Amino acid sequence: MTPAEQQLWEKQELKRKIDFGNCQIDPAPFQLVERTSLQKVHSLFSLLGLNHAYVTNTGRLVGVVALKEVRTAIQGHLHTRVDQDSTDFDHMDGVSIQTDDTTDDNTV
């Protein structure tokens, strides 16, 4: 595709109407800031019955956290506490948990 053809195609695509009639759009999606503690994330998911939440940093989307990932992070944290006395990074199924030495606060 030549640059001119690509530009014409892009203009046509941008003019095309999109039917959102079959889409489920949450008018008020739940969002968390990037450094929210694991305990707080768990509490919010439990109290509000969330299945997922959007993670933002200064208003920009940086990720999505699902309930399954929160459960995996908690299980990994519990196993880490029992198995070792490490306070570095643990990586489990795409969820990073950072343990801070001073506050013992785990973040997602």
Side-chain angles (χ1 to χ4, degrees), residues 28-57:
F30 195 82
Q31 70 179 29
L32 302 165
V33 292
E34 193 173 22
R35 305 290 297 174
T36 305
S37 72
L38 180 58
Q39 179 182 3
K40 189 170 207 168
V41 171
H42 175 263
S43 296
L44 290 168
F45 270 70
S46 297
L47 293 171
L48 300 175
L50 300 175
N51 289 322
H52 66 277
Y54 297 98
V55 182
T56 59
N57 183 357

PDB file of all heavy atoms in Angstrom, residues 28-57:
ATOM      1  N   ALA A  28     -18.946   4.265  34.559  1.00  0.00           N
ATOM      2  CA  ALA A  28     -18.084   4.704  35.661  1.00  0.00           C
ATOM      3  C   ALA A  28     -17.148   3.562  36.054  1.00  0.00           C
ATOM      4  O   ALA A  28     -17.324   2.930  37.097  1.00  0.00           O
ATOM      5  CB  ALA A  28     -18.934   5.140  36.848  1.00  0.00           C
ATOM      6  N   PRO A  29     -16.141   3.277  35.236  1.00  0.00           N
ATOM      7  CA  PRO A  29     -15.240   2.167  35.563  1.00  0.00           C
ATOM      8  C   PRO A  29     -14.417   2.474  36.810  1.00  0.00           C
ATOM      9  O   PRO A  29     -14.086   3.625  37.083  1.00  0.00           O
ATOM     10  CB  PRO A  29     -14.339   2.059  34.332  1.00  0.00           C
ATOM     11  CG  PRO A  29     -14.374   3.417  33.732  1.00  0.00           C
ATOM     12  CD  PRO A  29     -15.734   3.973  34.035  1.00  0.00           C
ATOM     13  N   PHE A  30     -14.112   1.426  37.564  1.00  0.00           N
ATOM     14  CA  PHE A  30     -13.347   1.612  38.792  1.00  0.00           C
ATOM     15  C   PHE A  30     -11.876   1.710  38.444  1.00  0.00           C
ATOM     16  O   PHE A  30     -11.361   0.915  37.656  1.00  0.00           O
ATOM     17  CB  PHE A  30     -13.584   0.448  39.755  1.00  0.00           C
ATOM     18  CG  PHE A  30     -13.112   0.759  41.130  1.00  0.00           C
ATOM     19  CD1 PHE A  30     -13.896   1.486  42.001  1.00  0.00           C
ATOM     20  CD2 PHE A  30     -11.855   0.361  41.548  1.00  0.00           C
ATOM     21  CE1 PHE A  30     -13.453   1.808  43.264  1.00  0.00           C
ATOM     22  CE2 PHE A  30     -11.402   0.673  42.808  1.00  0.00           C
ATOM     23  CZ  PHE A  30     -12.191   1.391  43.667  1.00  0.00           C
ATOM     24  N   GLN A  31     -11.193   2.672  39.050  1.00  0.00           N
ATOM     25  CA  GLN A  31      -9.762   2.811  38.785  1.00  0.00           C
ATOM     26  C   GLN A  31      -8.976   2.917  40.083  1.00  0.00           C
ATOM     27  O   GLN A  31      -9.469   3.401  41.093  1.00  0.00           O
ATOM     28  CB  GLN A  31      -9.473   3.994  37.885  1.00  0.00           C
ATOM     29  CG  GLN A  31      -9.680   5.355  38.508  1.00  0.00           C
ATOM     30  CD  GLN A  31      -9.329   6.458  37.521  1.00  0.00           C
ATOM     31  OE1 GLN A  31      -9.446   6.293  36.323  1.00  0.00           O
ATOM     32  NE2 GLN A  31      -8.904   7.589  38.025  1.00  0.00           N
ATOM     33  N   LEU A  32      -7.760   2.419  40.028  1.00  0.00           N
ATOM     34  CA  LEU A  32      -6.820   2.462  41.136  1.00  0.00           C
ATOM     35  C   LEU A  32      -5.581   3.211  40.693  1.00  0.00           C
ATOM     36  O   LEU A  32      -5.233   3.177  39.523  1.00  0.00           O
ATOM     37  CB  LEU A  32      -6.377   1.040  41.520  1.00  0.00           C
ATOM     38  CG  LEU A  32      -7.454   0.052  41.911  1.00  0.00           C
ATOM     39  CD1 LEU A  32      -6.885  -1.356  41.884  1.00  0.00           C
ATOM     40  CD2 LEU A  32      -7.983   0.394  43.280  1.00  0.00           C
ATOM     41  N   VAL A  33      -4.913   3.853  41.632  1.00  0.00           N
ATOM     42  CA  VAL A  33      -3.626   4.450  41.285  1.00  0.00           C
ATOM     43  C   VAL A  33      -2.573   3.348  41.327  1.00  0.00           C
ATOM     44  O   VAL A  33      -2.747   2.323  41.974  1.00  0.00           O
ATOM     45  CB  VAL A  33      -3.250   5.620  42.217  1.00  0.00           C
ATOM     46  CG1 VAL A  33      -4.180   6.795  41.987  1.00  0.00           C
ATOM     47  CG2 VAL A  33      -3.248   5.207  43.651  1.00  0.00           C
ATOM     48  N   GLU A  34      -1.499   3.580  40.645  1.00  0.00           N
ATOM     49  CA  GLU A  34      -0.472   2.561  40.432  1.00  0.00           C
ATOM     50  C   GLU A  34       0.120   2.009  41.727  1.00  0.00           C
ATOM     51  O   GLU A  34       0.468   0.840  41.786  1.00  0.00           O
ATOM     52  CB  GLU A  34       0.637   3.169  39.562  1.00  0.00           C
ATOM     53  CG  GLU A  34       1.592   2.184  38.998  1.00  0.00           C
ATOM     54  CD  GLU A  34       2.538   2.842  38.015  1.00  0.00           C
ATOM     55  OE1 GLU A  34       2.733   4.071  38.075  1.00  0.00           O
ATOM     56  OE2 GLU A  34       3.090   2.111  37.191  1.00  0.00           O
ATOM     57  N   ARG A  35       0.229   2.779  42.768  1.00  0.00           N
ATOM     58  CA  ARG A  35       0.894   2.341  43.994  1.00  0.00           C
ATOM     59  C   ARG A  35      -0.084   1.948  45.108  1.00  0.00           C
ATOM     60  O   ARG A  35       0.262   1.976  46.276  1.00  0.00           O
ATOM     61  CB  ARG A  35       1.818   3.441  44.504  1.00  0.00           C
ATOM     62  CG  ARG A  35       2.849   3.931  43.508  1.00  0.00           C
ATOM     63  CD  ARG A  35       3.913   2.941  43.205  1.00  0.00           C
ATOM     64  NE  ARG A  35       4.660   2.664  44.419  1.00  0.00           N
ATOM     65  CZ  ARG A  35       5.587   1.762  44.529  1.00  0.00           C
ATOM     66  NH1 ARG A  35       5.874   1.016  43.507  1.00  0.00           N
ATOM     67  NH2 ARG A  35       6.209   1.564  45.647  1.00  0.00           N
ATOM     68  N   THR A  36      -1.304   1.552  44.758  1.00  0.00           N
ATOM     69  CA  THR A  36      -2.288   1.127  45.754  1.00  0.00           C
ATOM     70  C   THR A  36      -1.823  -0.171  46.400  1.00  0.00           C
ATOM     71  O   THR A  36      -1.376  -1.095  45.723  1.00  0.00           O
ATOM     72  CB  THR A  36      -3.664   0.914  45.097  1.00  0.00           C
ATOM     73  OG1 THR A  36      -4.031   2.091  44.406  1.00  0.00           O
ATOM     74  CG2 THR A  36      -4.718   0.583  46.137  1.00  0.00           C
ATOM     75  N   SER A  37      -1.938  -0.260  47.720  1.00  0.00           N
ATOM     76  CA  SER A  37      -1.456  -1.449  48.422  1.00  0.00           C
ATOM     77  C   SER A  37      -2.309  -2.666  48.085  1.00  0.00           C
ATOM     78  O   SER A  37      -3.499  -2.553  47.772  1.00  0.00           O
ATOM     79  CB  SER A  37      -1.468  -1.214  49.936  1.00  0.00           C
ATOM     80  OG  SER A  37      -2.793  -1.199  50.422  1.00  0.00           O
ATOM     81  N   LEU A  38      -1.698  -3.835  48.165  1.00  0.00           N
ATOM     82  CA  LEU A  38      -2.391  -5.088  47.897  1.00  0.00           C
ATOM     83  C   LEU A  38      -3.557  -5.264  48.863  1.00  0.00           C
ATOM     84  O   LEU A  38      -4.643  -5.707  48.474  1.00  0.00           O
ATOM     85  CB  LEU A  38      -1.417  -6.261  47.999  1.00  0.00           C
ATOM     86  CG  LEU A  38      -1.991  -7.653  47.746  1.00  0.00           C
ATOM     87  CD1 LEU A  38      -2.632  -7.733  46.365  1.00  0.00           C
ATOM     88  CD2 LEU A  38      -0.897  -8.693  47.887  1.00  0.00           C
ATOM     89  N   GLN A  39      -3.360  -4.897  50.113  1.00  0.00           N
ATOM     90  CA  GLN A  39      -4.437  -5.016  51.099  1.00  0.00           C
ATOM     91  C   GLN A  39      -5.630  -4.145  50.715  1.00  0.00           C
ATOM     92  O   GLN A  39      -6.775  -4.576  50.785  1.00  0.00           O
ATOM     93  CB  GLN A  39      -3.926  -4.617  52.487  1.00  0.00           C
ATOM     94  CG  GLN A  39      -4.996  -4.699  53.559  1.00  0.00           C
ATOM     95  CD  GLN A  39      -4.478  -4.256  54.919  1.00  0.00           C
ATOM     96  OE1 GLN A  39      -3.330  -3.831  55.050  1.00  0.00           O
ATOM     97  NE2 GLN A  39      -5.316  -4.348  55.917  1.00  0.00           N
ATOM     98  N   LYS A  40      -5.362  -2.921  50.277  1.00  0.00           N
ATOM     99  CA  LYS A  40      -6.443  -2.014  49.886  1.00  0.00           C
ATOM    100  C   LYS A  40      -7.143  -2.518  48.630  1.00  0.00           C
ATOM    101  O   LYS A  40      -8.374  -2.459  48.523  1.00  0.00           O
ATOM    102  CB  LYS A  40      -5.905  -0.606  49.665  1.00  0.00           C
ATOM    103  CG  LYS A  40      -6.977   0.418  49.472  1.00  0.00           C
ATOM    104  CD  LYS A  40      -6.395   1.810  49.507  1.00  0.00           C
ATOM    105  CE  LYS A  40      -7.463   2.773  49.964  1.00  0.00           C
ATOM    106  NZ  LYS A  40      -6.926   4.067  50.287  1.00  0.00           N
ATOM    107  N   VAL A  41      -6.374  -3.024  47.668  1.00  0.00           N
ATOM    108  CA  VAL A  41      -6.958  -3.569  46.441  1.00  0.00           C
ATOM    109  C   VAL A  41      -7.885  -4.733  46.791  1.00  0.00           C
ATOM    110  O   VAL A  41      -9.015  -4.812  46.310  1.00  0.00           O
ATOM    111  CB  VAL A  41      -5.859  -4.020  45.451  1.00  0.00           C
ATOM    112  CG1 VAL A  41      -6.461  -4.778  44.283  1.00  0.00           C
ATOM    113  CG2 VAL A  41      -5.070  -2.823  44.953  1.00  0.00           C
ATOM    114  N   HIS A  42      -7.416  -5.628  47.658  1.00  0.00           N
ATOM    115  CA  HIS A  42      -8.238  -6.766  48.079  1.00  0.00           C
ATOM    116  C   HIS A  42      -9.519  -6.288  48.756  1.00  0.00           C
ATOM    117  O   HIS A  42     -10.613  -6.792  48.476  1.00  0.00           O
ATOM    118  CB  HIS A  42      -7.446  -7.682  49.018  1.00  0.00           C
ATOM    119  CG  HIS A  42      -8.261  -8.795  49.565  1.00  0.00           C
ATOM    120  ND1 HIS A  42      -8.857  -8.732  50.805  1.00  0.00           N
ATOM    121  CD2 HIS A  42      -8.605  -9.984  49.032  1.00  0.00           C
ATOM    122  CE1 HIS A  42      -9.526  -9.846  51.012  1.00  0.00           C
ATOM    123  NE2 HIS A  42      -9.395 -10.628  49.955  1.00  0.00           N
ATOM    124  N   SER A  43      -9.402  -5.324  49.638  1.00  0.00           N
ATOM    125  CA  SER A  43     -10.582  -4.796  50.337  1.00  0.00           C
ATOM    126  C   SER A  43     -11.584  -4.203  49.357  1.00  0.00           C
ATOM    127  O   SER A  43     -12.789  -4.450  49.461  1.00  0.00           O
ATOM    128  CB  SER A  43     -10.173  -3.732  51.354  1.00  0.00           C
ATOM    129  OG  SER A  43      -9.386  -4.280  52.357  1.00  0.00           O
ATOM    130  N   LEU A  44     -11.100  -3.415  48.406  1.00  0.00           N
ATOM    131  CA  LEU A  44     -11.990  -2.791  47.428  1.00  0.00           C
ATOM    132  C   LEU A  44     -12.675  -3.831  46.546  1.00  0.00           C
ATOM    133  O   LEU A  44     -13.879  -3.744  46.290  1.00  0.00           O
ATOM    134  CB  LEU A  44     -11.214  -1.796  46.567  1.00  0.00           C
ATOM    135  CG  LEU A  44     -10.752  -0.535  47.292  1.00  0.00           C
ATOM    136  CD1 LEU A  44      -9.755   0.238  46.448  1.00  0.00           C
ATOM    137  CD2 LEU A  44     -11.944   0.335  47.653  1.00  0.00           C
ATOM    138  N   PHE A  45     -11.922  -4.824  46.081  1.00  0.00           N
ATOM    139  CA  PHE A  45     -12.506  -5.883  45.263  1.00  0.00           C
ATOM    140  C   PHE A  45     -13.571  -6.631  46.058  1.00  0.00           C
ATOM    141  O   PHE A  45     -14.641  -6.941  45.538  1.00  0.00           O
ATOM    142  CB  PHE A  45     -11.425  -6.851  44.772  1.00  0.00           C
ATOM    143  CG  PHE A  45     -10.822  -6.468  43.447  1.00  0.00           C
ATOM    144  CD1 PHE A  45      -9.995  -5.365  43.338  1.00  0.00           C
ATOM    145  CD2 PHE A  45     -11.063  -7.204  42.303  1.00  0.00           C
ATOM    146  CE1 PHE A  45      -9.422  -5.007  42.127  1.00  0.00           C
ATOM    147  CE2 PHE A  45     -10.513  -6.861  41.080  1.00  0.00           C
ATOM    148  CZ  PHE A  45      -9.688  -5.758  40.997  1.00  0.00           C
ATOM    149  N   SER A  46     -13.294  -6.917  47.329  1.00  0.00           N
ATOM    150  CA  SER A  46     -14.241  -7.655  48.168  1.00  0.00           C
ATOM    151  C   SER A  46     -15.484  -6.830  48.476  1.00  0.00           C
ATOM    152  O   SER A  46     -16.612  -7.315  48.332  1.00  0.00           O
ATOM    153  CB  SER A  46     -13.576  -8.062  49.481  1.00  0.00           C
ATOM    154  OG  SER A  46     -12.520  -8.936  49.248  1.00  0.00           O
ATOM    155  N   LEU A  47     -15.301  -5.600  48.920  1.00  0.00           N
ATOM    156  CA  LEU A  47     -16.433  -4.769  49.324  1.00  0.00           C
ATOM    157  C   LEU A  47     -17.318  -4.345  48.163  1.00  0.00           C
ATOM    158  O   LEU A  47     -18.544  -4.261  48.301  1.00  0.00           O
ATOM    159  CB  LEU A  47     -15.940  -3.527  50.062  1.00  0.00           C
ATOM    160  CG  LEU A  47     -15.281  -3.775  51.420  1.00  0.00           C
ATOM    161  CD1 LEU A  47     -14.641  -2.495  51.938  1.00  0.00           C
ATOM    162  CD2 LEU A  47     -16.299  -4.306  52.410  1.00  0.00           C
ATOM    163  N   LEU A  48     -16.714  -4.062  47.024  1.00  0.00           N
ATOM    164  CA  LEU A  48     -17.471  -3.556  45.884  1.00  0.00           C
ATOM    165  C   LEU A  48     -17.849  -4.638  44.881  1.00  0.00           C
ATOM    166  O   LEU A  48     -18.544  -4.363  43.899  1.00  0.00           O
ATOM    167  CB  LEU A  48     -16.673  -2.454  45.174  1.00  0.00           C
ATOM    168  CG  LEU A  48     -16.321  -1.238  46.038  1.00  0.00           C
ATOM    169  CD1 LEU A  48     -15.446  -0.279  45.264  1.00  0.00           C
ATOM    170  CD2 LEU A  48     -17.578  -0.559  46.535  1.00  0.00           C
ATOM    171  N   GLY A  49     -17.361  -5.868  45.106  1.00  0.00           N
ATOM    172  CA  GLY A  49     -17.680  -6.967  44.187  1.00  0.00           C
ATOM    173  C   GLY A  49     -17.095  -6.771  42.801  1.00  0.00           C
ATOM    174  O   GLY A  49     -17.712  -7.123  41.802  1.00  0.00           O
ATOM    175  N   LEU A  50     -15.890  -6.219  42.737  1.00  0.00           N
ATOM    176  CA  LEU A  50     -15.255  -5.944  41.446  1.00  0.00           C
ATOM    177  C   LEU A  50     -14.683  -7.214  40.821  1.00  0.00           C
ATOM    178  O   LEU A  50     -14.229  -8.112  41.525  1.00  0.00           O
ATOM    179  CB  LEU A  50     -14.121  -4.936  41.617  1.00  0.00           C
ATOM    180  CG  LEU A  50     -14.488  -3.567  42.185  1.00  0.00           C
ATOM    181  CD1 LEU A  50     -13.228  -2.745  42.407  1.00  0.00           C
ATOM    182  CD2 LEU A  50     -15.446  -2.852  41.271  1.00  0.00           C
ATOM    183  N   ASN A  51     -14.692  -7.273  39.510  1.00  0.00           N
ATOM    184  CA  ASN A  51     -14.020  -8.334  38.774  1.00  0.00           C
ATOM    185  C   ASN A  51     -12.719  -7.832  38.154  1.00  0.00           C
ATOM    186  O   ASN A  51     -11.824  -8.613  37.872  1.00  0.00           O
ATOM    187  CB  ASN A  51     -14.921  -8.898  37.679  1.00  0.00           C
ATOM    188  CG  ASN A  51     -16.050  -9.711  38.257  1.00  0.00           C
ATOM    189  OD1 ASN A  51     -15.865 -10.428  39.226  1.00  0.00           O
ATOM    190  ND2 ASN A  51     -17.230  -9.580  37.672  1.00  0.00           N
ATOM    191  N   HIS A  52     -12.650  -6.524  37.929  1.00  0.00           N
ATOM    192  CA  HIS A  52     -11.437  -5.917  37.395  1.00  0.00           C
ATOM    193  C   HIS A  52     -11.434  -4.428  37.738  1.00  0.00           C
ATOM    194  O   HIS A  52     -12.468  -3.853  38.045  1.00  0.00           O
ATOM    195  CB  HIS A  52     -11.329  -6.117  35.877  1.00  0.00           C
ATOM    196  CG  HIS A  52     -12.383  -5.401  35.107  1.00  0.00           C
ATOM    197  ND1 HIS A  52     -13.646  -5.908  34.916  1.00  0.00           N
ATOM    198  CD2 HIS A  52     -12.373  -4.197  34.494  1.00  0.00           C
ATOM    199  CE1 HIS A  52     -14.360  -5.053  34.223  1.00  0.00           C
ATOM    200  NE2 HIS A  52     -13.614  -4.000  33.944  1.00  0.00           N
ATOM    201  N   ALA A  53     -10.250  -3.842  37.675  1.00  0.00           N
ATOM    202  CA  ALA A  53     -10.105  -2.406  37.906  1.00  0.00           C
ATOM    203  C   ALA A  53      -8.992  -1.890  37.002  1.00  0.00           C
ATOM    204  O   ALA A  53      -8.041  -2.611  36.693  1.00  0.00           O
ATOM    205  CB  ALA A  53      -9.772  -2.118  39.368  1.00  0.00           C
ATOM    206  N   TYR A  54      -9.134  -0.653  36.592  1.00  0.00           N
ATOM    207  CA  TYR A  54      -8.130  -0.030  35.742  1.00  0.00           C
ATOM    208  C   TYR A  54      -7.084   0.650  36.617  1.00  0.00           C
ATOM    209  O   TYR A  54      -7.414   1.322  37.582  1.00  0.00           O
ATOM    210  CB  TYR A  54      -8.784   0.984  34.802  1.00  0.00           C
ATOM    211  CG  TYR A  54      -9.757   0.315  33.868  1.00  0.00           C
ATOM    212  CD1 TYR A  54     -11.119   0.313  34.138  1.00  0.00           C
ATOM    213  CD2 TYR A  54      -9.306  -0.355  32.744  1.00  0.00           C
ATOM    214  CE1 TYR A  54     -12.012  -0.332  33.297  1.00  0.00           C
ATOM    215  CE2 TYR A  54     -10.191  -0.996  31.899  1.00  0.00           C
ATOM    216  CZ  TYR A  54     -11.538  -0.981  32.181  1.00  0.00           C
ATOM    217  OH  TYR A  54     -12.414  -1.630  31.354  1.00  0.00           O
ATOM    218  N   VAL A  55      -5.817   0.460  36.275  1.00  0.00           N
ATOM    219  CA  VAL A  55      -4.713   1.046  37.034  1.00  0.00           C
ATOM    220  C   VAL A  55      -4.219   2.261  36.258  1.00  0.00           C
ATOM    221  O   VAL A  55      -3.916   2.166  35.064  1.00  0.00           O
ATOM    222  CB  VAL A  55      -3.569   0.028  37.231  1.00  0.00           C
ATOM    223  CG1 VAL A  55      -2.448   0.636  38.062  1.00  0.00           C
ATOM    224  CG2 VAL A  55      -4.091  -1.250  37.873  1.00  0.00           C
ATOM    225  N   THR A  56      -4.144   3.400  36.965  1.00  0.00           N
ATOM    226  CA  THR A  56      -3.741   4.633  36.303  1.00  0.00           C
ATOM    227  C   THR A  56      -2.556   5.287  37.013  1.00  0.00           C
ATOM    228  O   THR A  56      -2.295   5.032  38.184  1.00  0.00           O
ATOM    229  CB  THR A  56      -4.905   5.647  36.270  1.00  0.00           C
ATOM    230  OG1 THR A  56      -5.313   5.929  37.604  1.00  0.00           O
ATOM    231  CG2 THR A  56      -6.077   5.111  35.487  1.00  0.00           C
ATOM    232  N   ASN A  57      -1.859   6.101  36.264  1.00  0.00           N
ATOM    233  CA  ASN A  57      -0.759   6.903  36.796  1.00  0.00           C
ATOM    234  C   ASN A  57      -0.927   8.292  36.203  1.00  0.00           C
ATOM    235  O   ASN A  57      -0.852   8.452  34.988  1.00  0.00           O
ATOM    236  CB  ASN A  57       0.588   6.299  36.412  1.00  0.00           C
ATOM    237  CG  ASN A  57       1.751   7.055  37.006  1.00  0.00           C
ATOM    238  OD1 ASN A  57       1.573   8.079  37.665  1.00  0.00           O
ATOM    239  ND2 ASN A  57       2.943   6.559  36.773  1.00  0.00           N
TER     240      ASN A  57
END
